[in-house]
Amino acid sequence: MENKDTQRAPVSQKPHSVDKPADTTTIGGTISIEINNEKHTVPLGTTILDACKMTGIHVPTLCHHDDLCIAGVCRVCMVEVEGMRTLQASCAFPITSPIKIHTSTPMVRKARRHVIDLMLSEHHGECYSCVRNNNCELQSLANEYGVDKYTFGHVEKSRFEIDNSSFSVIRDMDKCVLCKRCVRTCIDLQEVGVLESVDRGDKTHISTFMEKDLADVICINCGQCINRCPTGALHANDPSDDIWNAIDDPKKHVVIQTAPSPRAAIGEEFGLEAGHSMTQELNTALRRIGFNAVFDTNFTADLTIIEEGTELIIRLFKALVEKDETVALPQFTSCSPGWVKYLEHYYPEYVDNLSSAKSPQQMFGALIKTFYAEKAGIDPKDMISVAVMPCSAKKFECNRPEMADSGYQDVDYGLTTRELAKMIKEAGINLPEMPKTHFDNPFGDASGAGLIFGATGGVMEAAIRTIVEFVLGKKAEDVFEKANVIPVRGFEGVKYYEIPLGDQFGPVPALIQHLVPNWDWLAGATLKVAVAHGTANAKKIMEDIKAGGKFSECHFIEFMACPGGCLGGGGQPIPTNEEIRKKRAQAIYAEDESLELRKSHDNPHVVKLYEEYLTEGPCGHLSHKLLHTHYTKRGKYIA
Amino acid sequence: MLVVEKNSLTAEIEAMVEKYGNSRSSLLPILQDVQRNHKFVSEFAQQEVARLLDIHPVEVYSVISFYSFLHSKPMGRNIVRLCQTITCDMMGKVNVAKAIERELGISFGETTKDNKFTLEYANCLGMCDQGPAMLVNDKIYPRLTPEKAVEILNEIG
């Protein structure tokens, strides 16, 4: 088949772009331009918008987003270019000649005001009651550019029904300004392809296939569209009112688990710079809100590593020693519910490759309503289990019918970072000022390996730390400097890494002694792993596996549905972009290095859990009942 | 939809993809062919086209919804489109429209009960010098009067 990358968008829709020269010192590599009568030199092919940014001039944008391709549809960023008859959209204008640009002339200011005014004329909804109040790009543009009345009228009546069919994403098209960011996110960034603009002219709107409900099409609930929507047209399905009710009900025992990514990002909602981890402050805040117990999702992330790692060892043992050809390899991670649903839809023939281990959220849910309920002497039916996640797909995951192994719905509510920040503010708490406290027992604090689940490559790194120690019998610190597995870190779309195992093995740890007799069968083997984040990158690996390429020879592959992994999830504070994702990752890795405990199997609470409760060990009978699940082959057909 | 019908539709679309190629730019000719043969592009057909061109079903739907001559819902066997633009309007479109509505017993945007006619407005058919004009399927009828329009429709019936 032809290369689809080059023909993804038809030529007519492709913005005019010029490749920037790699070496700007070559003749013609740079170009001299004038912005507002000041001379500047920029690389050939820089857009006017970027040139203005470089020189510290602010040009307003709306449809432009750093993660997405250029669209040039909103026309807010228009500037005057001398010699051109009309105003030019600066985001879609690559500089190829020595032009003179003016960013603030009467014509530009009037046009901008009119453009914003025209968008408001089709925007229905009250700012006061909007989920994006005070964090809305349209609102701030209207404020910044002096729109003080509706020159072109205003929609009085609602024109669209709110689509709240999905557990995760709610669409309120009355608030849509047709910037098409969600379309570009869904089709280009994630390659899921649920949203497109439909109809023509003044009837244009963003919709799904045949105007179906979001729950009925192949949405993977990743919520990346929410994170990129400039207005409140897309938002997550907010359960905070139900959670308040549960907290206020004295009969209910409400417990909450917090994932690492929200902790690294929630400070942004309280005016902090990106990259401040708020783990222990958050514990105090949650207790003050009224949660009865606060647990660390990293604990079950550690458990995931043990279960998933053991599963991998069993699969390899079966394939290599028992020569069982039905074993599905490579094994895929299953922590990201967006990725799981993507695979169920697009590659249903590969569901057997998914690790049967549940995601940390669901493992915790099952343990809270069984192990913890027993220990604390609370009837699980009086328990409400909440999970703070960076993710909108987690809301869907906790509502999957098979996620009720405790006899009740394991996790009652998935709460995003944004919604939790709202709850904290509602309770009158200023998070950064909170004193630091630890998590509650019996799960206690967790290891750094669980913590780095939040960044792309984190699950792989955590797994490698454990597998290396299990198999080689050496300290991970002796194999990798400070136990940091640098090759699987970073934001490269697809990462590939090989670990030669050699022939010096340690003893089989007691935990899995009943599963494998020794490690001699791995002599001379090389462990091949890969990491992908964003479903567009996942698709690349899956297509390669289908074609029998190098990834089909991998043993273990980590997939995350969102760009950057969980820290760039669809439930994270808005805005999220490359720079912010990097800072959040730094915060997570820094916290990991500051911890004593950095390997999942060293976590004393995990060891204790296997001694006291899951006595048959990893992948044993009770583990299978509580900590493992199965998947559905959904397919692509929309009925 | 019966499996047999689905299979024959799939085979039909596969032949079209064979004919026009599987690149994105083949989308319109394929949709036009499906529209010509079936009078609309069904949900199943849209998904099959999407699958064979390796694009998303919603993109196919987006294209269909953009073009007036492509339909995603079943239409009558004959599609009558009356030009509603200024020149035709000035030449007596209103009376022609009323006559057609009375004759078919439906208003614009509707389909007759026997599924024989669908009535729609069209924007400029390019017959501004010979208005009012209407298009029945692929054939254009200029210089209409109410009587003539009714006669034309009766001939088709």
Side-chain angles (χ1 to χ4, degrees):
Chain A
M1 201 166 263
E2 295 157 72
N3 177 15
K4 293 283 168 190
D5 286 345
T6 54
Q7 51 174 35
R8 191 81 241 159
V11 179
S12 61
Q13 272 181 30
K14 272 201 185 126
H16 177 53
S17 75
V18 176
D19 288 334
K20 281 186 206 166
D23 181 8
T24 48
T25 55
T26 52
I27 296 170
T30 54
I31 214 148
S32 296
I33 53 165
E34 266 184 37
I35 306 178
N36 298 344
N37 302 321
E38 268 181 43
K39 282 205 165 65
H40 296 284
T41 308
V42 296
L44 180 90
T46 313
T47 61
I48 295 181
L49 183 68
D50 288 338
C52 289
K53 248 183 222 163
M54 285 177 208
T55 52
I57 293 165
H58 176 66
V59 174
T61 53
L62 187 83
C63 70
H64 182 79
H65 193 287
D66 293 342
D67 290 341
L68 304 174
C69 68
I70 295 164
V73 293
C74 76
R75 319 308 285 181
V76 168
C77 66
M78 287 192 298
V79 293
E80 209 174 312
V81 177
E82 270 183 34
M84 300 207 104
R85 193 174 55 85
T86 53
L87 296 177
Q88 300 296 315
S90 63
C91 69
F93 191 114
I95 300 169
T96 54
S97 56
I99 48 173
K100 292 178 180 169
I101 302 156
H102 299 278
T103 63
S104 178
T105 62
M107 185 153 77
V108 168
R109 285 197 301 271
K110 190 176 173 189
R112 265 181 208 161
R113 193 180 287 193
H114 277 182
V115 164
I116 298 163
D117 217 338
L118 278 166
M119 276 192 259
L120 290 176
S121 78
E122 295 200 334
H123 177 80
H124 172 79
E126 290 288 347
C127 284
Y128 321 113
S129 58
C130 179
V131 60
R132 291 290 295 273
N133 192 7
N134 274 329
N135 186 16
C136 170
E137 292 179 40
L138 186 65
Q139 193 184 38
S140 24
L141 279 176
N143 179 22
E144 248 170 85
Y145 293 92
V147 180
D148 48 9
K149 61 176 183 299
Y150 297 127
T151 318
F152 306 107
H154 190 58
V155 218
E156 300 296 335
K157 270 194 195 148
S158 160
R159 294 179 298 163
F160 298 96
E161 251 181 65
I162 291 176
D163 175 4
N164 53 9
S165 60
S166 162
F167 284 115
S168 303
V169 184
I170 293 183
R171 298 173 61 238
D172 178 2
M173 286 300 107
D174 275 331
K175 291 176 181 157
C176 177
V177 291
L178 299 174
C179 68
K180 292 183 74 173
R181 277 195 199 168
C182 55
V183 173
R184 282 175 283 152
T185 306
C186 203
I187 294 184
D188 297 333
L189 187 73
Q190 293 290 70
E191 294 202 24
V192 175
V194 165
L195 300 170
E196 227 330 344
S197 53
V198 168
D199 279 340
R200 183 182 66 217
D202 64 340
K203 293 195 179 60
T204 310
H205 60 284
I206 308 296
S207 190
T208 54
F209 180 63
M210 295 299 284
E211 319 275 338
K212 284 178 191 292
D213 285 345
L214 205 54
D216 297 338
V217 294
I218 44 176
C219 174
I220 63 165
N221 303 309
C222 67
Q224 287 299 311
C225 52
I226 302 177
N227 260 4
R228 283 170 188 75
C229 182
T231 70
L234 292 162
H235 55 93
N237 202 343
D238 184 357
S240 54
D241 283 344
D242 295 331
I243 296 171
W244 280 122
N245 286 342
I247 290 173
D248 296 337
D249 185 345
K251 285 201 279 298
K252 295 279 183 214
H253 185 83
V254 190
V255 298
I256 189 163
Q257 48 168 315
T258 68
S261 294
R263 300 174 337 209
I266 196 163
E268 294 163 36
E269 292 275 351
F270 292 86
L272 295 183
E273 275 270 310
H276 281 83
S277 219
M278 292 269 116
T279 310
Q280 298 191 319
E281 290 86 343
L282 193 61
N283 290 346
T284 318
L286 291 170
R287 287 194 190 99
R288 290 202 186 170
I289 283 180
F291 288 101
N292 299 90
V294 185
F295 297 134
D296 187 350
T297 308
N298 297 351
F299 170 80
T300 37
D302 286 337
L303 204 55
T304 302
I305 288 298
I306 306 290
E307 291 290 333
E308 212 165 284
T310 307
E311 192 187 345
L312 178 64
I313 289 166
I314 294 174
R315 283 193 198 207
L316 290 176
F317 187 75
K318 274 188 185 160
L320 297 173
V321 180
E322 296 173 4
K323 304 285 178 209
D324 183 351
E325 283 177 6
T326 58
V327 174
L329 280 172
Q331 177 176 308
F332 301 155
T333 61
S334 60
C335 315
S336 166
W339 149 248
V340 168
K341 192 152 184 261
Y342 181 82
L343 183 109
E344 287 176 335
H345 279 303
Y346 283 87
Y347 300 97
E349 65 273 27
Y350 287 95
V351 290
D352 291 337
N353 293 60
L354 275 176
S355 161
S356 68
K358 285 181 186 172
S359 68
Q361 163 181 290
Q362 291 310 126
M363 282 199 183
F364 226 137
L367 282 180
I368 284 171
K369 291 199 179 175
T370 53
F371 175 72
Y372 171 71
E374 240 171 67
K375 277 219 148 186
I378 300 162
D379 189 345
K381 84 171 189 317
D382 294 328
M383 258 188 187
I384 295 290
S385 168
V386 182
V388 179
M389 292 287 148
C391 182
S392 57
K394 290 280 177 195
K395 294 169 188 286
F396 171 82
E397 187 187 31
C398 74
N399 281 296
R400 287 176 84 117
E402 65 269 24
M403 295 296 183
D405 290 323
S406 61
Y408 302 89
Q409 187 175 328
D410 290 337
V411 174
D412 294 284
Y413 303 109
L415 194 66
T416 64
T417 315
R418 294 188 297 266
E419 291 152 4
L420 179 65
K422 198 192 78 186
M423 286 182 76
I424 295 174
K425 285 176 190 165
E426 215 175 332
I429 294 169
N430 187 12
L431 184 65
E433 289 172 4
M434 285 293 109
K436 297 182 176 189
T437 51
H438 283 277
F439 290 99
D440 284 313
N441 280 323
F443 304 116
D445 294 316
S447 80
L451 184 80
I452 55 172
F453 264 55
T456 167
V459 180
M460 190 52 71
E461 180 166 349
I464 289 174
R465 285 181 194 169
T466 291
I467 289 177
V468 160
E469 294 208 352
F470 270 19
V471 176
L472 301 183
K474 290 188 220 167
K475 285 267 157 216
E477 283 82 353
D478 299 337
V479 185
F480 304 100
E481 200 189 338
K482 291 185 190 167
N484 291 343
V485 191
I486 302 294
V488 297
R489 293 188 182 182
F491 288 122
E492 213 180 309
V494 173
K495 287 164 277 186
Y496 177 79
Y497 184 47
E498 290 182 1
I499 309 165
L501 293 176
D503 43 20
Q504 297 294 315
F505 299 113
V508 179
L511 199 59
I512 50 172
Q513 245 163 20
H514 60 291
L515 297 169
V516 280
N518 54 46
W519 296 120
D520 294 341
W521 49 283
L522 283 173
T526 302
L527 185 67
K528 295 174 186 169
V529 299
V531 175
H533 61 119
T535 41
N537 292 319
K539 186 178 172 181
K540 284 182 198 150
I541 288 194
M542 290 309 296
E543 290 298 329
D544 184 81
I545 290 176
K546 253 186 162 174
K550 79 169 176 183
F551 292 107
S552 64
E553 286 166 18
C554 278
H555 302 112
F556 192 35
I557 306 182
E558 177 201 307
F559 290 101
M560 289 290 156
C562 293
C566 304
L567 52 86
Q572 290 284 64
I574 300 169
T576 294
N577 55 36
E578 180 102 40
E579 196 187 328
I580 292 174
R581 283 195 292 266
K582 276 188 183 145
K583 284 184 183 164
R584 289 178 190 156
Q586 278 166 9
I588 286 178
Y589 284 121
E591 202 180 333
D592 166 44
E593 272 202 41
S594 74
L595 292 174
E596 291 266 305
L597 185 62
R598 294 185 61 208
K599 279 157 281 178
S600 300
H601 56 280
D602 288 347
N603 184 337
H605 300 279
V606 170
V607 175
K608 213 168 139 198
L609 185 75
Y610 280 112
E611 279 166 7
E612 282 181 15
Y613 193 66
L614 306 168
T615 45
E616 289 168 66
C619 295
H621 181 70
L622 192 58
S623 276
H624 259 288
K625 182 174 178 292
L626 293 178
L627 308 181
H628 289 254
T629 183
H630 57 271
Y631 306 99
T632 318
K633 292 182 178 178
R634 291 176 201 268
K636 272 201 283 190
Y637 184 69
I638 306 165
Chain B
M1 211 174 174
L2 294 171
V3 179
V4 189
E5 284 177 317
K6 278 188 179 174
N7 289 345
S8 78
L9 190 54
T10 303
E12 195 184 328
I13 295 170
E14 273 168 358
M16 290 172 193
V17 173
E18 187 75 17
K19 183 174 159 197
Y20 296 110
N22 67 352
S23 75
R24 279 177 79 97
S25 50
S26 318
L27 179 59
L28 269 182
I30 291 170
L31 290 180
Q32 278 174 321
D33 277 9
V34 178
Q35 169 75 33
R36 198 173 302 122
N37 297 352
H38 298 272
K39 301 288 172 194
F40 82 116
V41 189
S42 64
E43 267 186 49
F44 179 75
Q46 290 180 44
Q47 294 191 53
E48 285 300 283
V49 173
R51 179 177 66 83
L52 291 164
L53 297 188
D54 194 20
I55 56 179
H56 302 291
V58 72
E59 292 180 282
V60 178
Y61 175 61
S62 169
V63 167
I64 291 174
S65 70
F66 184 89
Y67 289 101
S68 302
F69 281 43
L70 295 175
H71 298 279
S72 57
K73 298 259 158 66
M75 305 297 280
R77 291 194 297 282
N78 300 293
I79 301 176
V80 180
R81 296 182 174 96
L82 182 67
C83 178
Q84 64 169 353
T85 322
I86 304 170
T87 328
C88 288
D89 192 65
M90 288 169 68
M91 298 298 284
K93 171 213 83 179
V94 178
N95 286 339
V96 176
K98 278 183 187 160
I100 297 175
E101 281 185 334
R102 205 163 38 235
E103 178 64 21
L104 299 180
I106 50 170
S107 16
F108 280 83
E110 293 178 356
T111 302
T112 53
K113 272 201 185 125
D114 58 1
N115 227 8
K116 200 157 149 191
F117 288 105
T118 295
L119 187 55
E120 281 182 351
Y121 276 123
N123 291 313
C124 193
L125 296 174
M127 305 301 278
C128 306
D129 55 332
Q130 303 170 48
M134 86 176 165
L135 190 67
V136 181
N137 300 327
D138 287 339
K139 200 169 172 205
I140 195 132
Y141 296 91
R143 294 187 217 281
L144 291 177
T145 59
E147 297 79 23
K148 206 173 150 192
V150 169
E151 206 176 297
I152 291 164
L153 294 182
N154 280 327
E155 270 170 31
I156 290 164

